Amino acid sequence: MSDVIGHYIGGRQVAGTSGRRGDIYNPALGEVVRQVDFASQAEVRQAVEAAKAAQPDWAAQPPLRRARVMFRLKQLLEANMDDLAKVVTEEHGKTIADAKGSITRGLEVVEFACGIPHLLKGEFSEDVGTGVDSFSMRQPLGVVAGITPFNFPAMIPLWMAPMALACGNAFILKPSEKDPSFSLRLAEFFAEAGVPDGVFSVVQGDKEAVNAILTDPDIQAVSFVGATATAEYIYHTGCAHNKRVQALGGAKNHMIVMPDADMEQATDAIMGAAYGSAGERCMAISVAVAVGDEVADNLLERLMPRVRGLKIGPGSDPEVEMGPLNNRQLFDKVNGLIDQGVKEGADLVLDGRGLSLQGYEKGYFMGGSIFDRVTPEMEIYKQEIFGPVLSVVRAPDYASAARMVNEHEYGNGTAIFTRDGDAARHFASTSKIGMVGVNVPIPVPMAFHSFGGWKRSLFGDHHMHGPEGVRFFTKLKTVTARWPTGIRAGAEFTIPTHG
Ligand code: NAD
């Protein structure tokens, strides 16, 4: 173990003072590589004070200047991509190529934020009354915060912070305590790009830091991504303290495979979407709903050899397709759910448990698993597994497949694979899911659209980044103006109308 990482407050890295710390693991080795200080309420308060002091001047800068800072941030992230991917891989476990992909998806939000002068343009109406004009503007909220999960240590902070900052807010990030090193690199890049001291801060920690954020009277809004139980808690606690909250939660994403689907395309799609990042994606496909036994048999016949042949190893090896799970707790949970699926009577046609890799015996590695004949009553169907485990459900027809998607408690993403335009259109229109793919397995919207689920996959009113990101991080003001040279109506005691 080499070092301890701390917070970033007031434009510099500071060591923690709470005396509480957590271990950070390299999941491929199953060993502690460094530690992270956990912030106390007083340390969170220091970040809030620094943010409060710095935010008004930052908000007063013309949006074009803030956009130029985002352009510089984009260049810095691009120039340091290789190095940043290594930071993500070491603490998360995903492959270097996947880490780069995730940083790129975050970088695209930076690119979107470069257009902030246009995005903050309001509306104008001439002559809303005789000689009276009306215009609207979007103004920053003040100090806002983001709380992020372990599975995307770079992408999700980059979904939030550039939007918040470009809109003129000061932003405090509380990253996952499992892979927090990227956050400090990001803080340095923001500073180098021209973000003033105090406008971007990082407080490391656990529940104590989160509660300090949720109850701080000077934090106006909280953006959260993580598990549903945490998301629900964050939403209710934040709202009870009069904050604007968006809390994105867990998922169980179904992919319907219709009898007319291109089976080769569907198989490729499942391989990447179910086993990429070892299934630790909120948009992973964890349920394949095969319409008809023939489709199920065909799909399994194609999938089995490919899942068996997955190249599994440390994410730093460029040949590897699937790295380890991120942590021991999750590793135990996924193994436990596989045991439970067997007990519940699902057919475990491929068992990824018990994988041991030479030289990495303590790493959190699993092979890919497939369950066949999974039914909606089973825990492995109900729960988000968040590991490399695919459940195949056999549905008699399209209607029952679509009903299953709609009846599941989660509503993040879904996909349909078909050549039938009517079925695809019907599914896109009627599914109770926030993001739908048609022959696209992971329909994560691009940065200029917005990301978010329905049902228990999102608490709050706003989706993330894109136009919704601007709405979340700003408040609307509408000005109605009349000049003294205009027509005088005298004192009016009734509500003004055009009557
Ligand atoms: P998590 O909920 O355990 O942790 C997320 C954040 O909340 C972390 O910063 C953590 O420190 C904090 N936290 C955890 N427990 C807390 C508690 N009891 N009180 C206060 N704060 C707490 O989630 P995770 O394990 O880091 O991430 C995996 C989950 O995130 C999965 O469920 C996944 O689906 C979900 N996720 C969702 C999306 C989405 O966009 N909907 C995206 C990525 C991940």
Side-chain angles (χ1 to χ4, degrees):
M1 193 180 68
S2 51
D3 55 346
V4 183
I5 68 164
H7 317 295
Y8 189 93
I9 298 174
R12 64 194 179 89
Q13 290 198 26
V14 292
T17 54
S18 74
R20 295 172 61 241
R21 277 184 188 159
D23 290 333
I24 306 170
Y25 285 78
N26 175 329
L29 301 172
E31 283 172 3
V32 176
V33 284
R34 58 188 68 87
Q35 288 190 304
V36 56
D37 285 323
F38 285 177
S40 62
Q41 186 171 8
E43 289 169 297
V44 171
R45 191 60 211 162
Q46 280 170 22
V48 175
E49 290 291 351
K52 245 176 91 176
Q55 189 267 337
D57 284 351
W58 174 244
Q61 303 237 355
L64 190 57
R65 286 213 193 119
R66 297 200 298 266
R68 287 183 182 142
V69 170
M70 295 301 146
F71 274 109
R72 287 195 286 273
L73 176 68
K74 166 182 155 60
Q75 287 167 340
L76 287 166
L77 290 171
E78 279 169 347
N80 291 278
M81 179 67 84
D82 289 347
D83 201 24
L84 292 172
K86 280 187 202 147
V87 173
V88 169
T89 295
E90 186 191 26
E91 293 184 357
H92 177 277
K94 63 180 79 184
T95 65
I96 290 281
D98 194 33
K100 283 187 187 171
S102 72
I103 298 167
T104 302
R105 291 305 294 258
L107 192 91
E108 286 163 4
V109 177
V110 180
E111 290 171 341
F112 180 70
C114 290
I116 201 67
H118 176 72
L119 295 166
L120 288 179
K121 276 197 309 203
E123 294 169 326
F124 181 86
S125 294
E126 188 179 19
D127 286 337
V128 292
T130 309
V132 181
D133 303 327
S134 217
F135 61 95
S136 65
M137 50 184 137
R138 292 214 152 259
Q139 296 190 322
L141 302 176
V143 179
V144 299
I147 301 162
T148 55
F150 81 81
N151 69 323
F152 283 111
M155 182 179 82
I156 293 181
L158 284 169
W159 280 3
M160 300 172 178
M163 296 307 302
L165 262 57
C167 289
N169 301 286
F171 185 86
I172 299 171
L173 172 64
K174 204 304 280 174
S176 170
E177 62 277 35
K178 300 194 172 83
D179 43 18
S181 289
F182 180 87
S183 64
L184 295 178
R185 299 298 303 276
L186 184 60
E188 280 163 5
F189 291 142
F190 268 128
E192 202 178 330
V195 170
D197 293 352
V199 171
F200 179 82
S201 309
V202 179
V203 289
Q204 310 288 0
D206 60 355
K207 192 171 172 164
E208 189 172 331
V210 171
N211 284 337
I213 288 170
L214 294 175
T215 54
D216 192 293
D218 288 319
I219 294 179
Q220 306 299 324
V222 175
S223 181
F224 171 85
V225 179
T228 286
T230 327
E232 195 166 18
Y233 169 76
I234 300 279
Y235 180 73
H236 290 297
T237 313
C239 289
H241 288 84
N242 299 324
K243 299 185 195 322
R244 185 181 287 186
V245 184
Q246 59 178 181
L248 279 65
K252 191 80 176 175
N253 307 310
H254 295 52
M255 173 169 147
I256 298 180
V257 185
M258 297 285 283
D260 65 354
D262 177 331
M263 292 305 286
E264 201 51 41
Q265 188 188 41
T267 309
D268 283 343
I270 291 176
M271 286 305 299
Y275 301 103
S277 197
E280 296 165 312
R281 290 185 183 135
C282 64
M283 289 293 275
I285 291 295
S286 49
V287 181
V289 188
V291 175
D293 282 332
E294 211 176 302
V295 174
D297 294 340
N298 186 343
L299 204 55
L300 284 166
E301 196 180 316
R302 292 165 185 270
L303 280 170
M304 302 267 287
R306 293 189 57 182
V307 178
R308 242 185 236 116
L310 273 170
K311 293 184 194 121
I312 300 168
S316 53
D317 177 343
E319 298 297 313
V320 160
E321 293 168 323
M322 189 169 91
L325 289 174
N326 171 261
N327 58 78
R328 162 64 63 184
Q329 202 188 354
L330 179 63
F331 178 83
D332 290 343
K333 180 189 151 194
V334 175
N335 276 286
L337 278 166
I338 297 177
D339 296 344
Q340 188 162 354
V342 173
K343 276 194 213 122
E344 285 176 319
D347 193 358
L348 184 62
V349 293
L350 207 61
D351 185 358
R353 292 172 296 182
L355 179 75
S356 180
L357 297 181
Q358 204 181 357
Y360 296 92
E361 289 80 2
K362 288 198 292 172
Y364 312 130
F365 290 99
M366 292 189 73
S369 295
I370 305 181
F371 276 111
D372 188 14
R373 300 182 190 279
V374 174
T375 60
E377 304 74 45
M378 296 177 179
E379 276 308 309
I380 52 165
Y381 178 81
K382 290 184 200 158
Q383 284 194 39
E384 176 184 48
I385 299 177
F386 225 54
V389 184
L390 178 73
S391 294
V392 176
V393 178
R394 293 169 180 245
D397 49 33
Y398 162 71
S400 38
R403 197 175 324 116
M404 251 178 250
V405 172
N406 285 344
E407 285 177 356
H408 203 283
E409 71 166 302
Y410 294 119
N412 218 36
T414 189
I416 187 166
F417 274 65
T418 183
R419 288 187 169 91
D420 179 343
D422 283 335
R425 188 168 185 278
H426 181 268
F427 186 65
S429 166
T430 59
S431 51
K432 295 187 176 102
I433 304 286
M435 295 167 282
V436 181
V438 174
N439 297 314
V440 171
I442 307 187
V444 176
M446 295 298 287
F448 36 94
H449 287 266
S450 300
F451 179 106
W454 286 16
K455 299 188 275 185
R456 288 175 62 75
S457 292
L458 190 152
F459 301 87
D461 302 316
H462 296 274
H463 287 201
M464 210 164 269
H465 66 64
E468 283 276 88
V470 177
R471 286 180 205 122
F472 182 76
F473 286 119
T474 56
K475 52 196 173 198
L476 186 68
K477 181 180 283 179
T478 306
V479 179
T480 303
R482 166 193 279 150
W483 295 96
T485 50
I487 293 163
R488 284 168 194 270
E492 286 180 20
F493 295 99
T494 55
I495 189 163
T497 68
H498 282 283

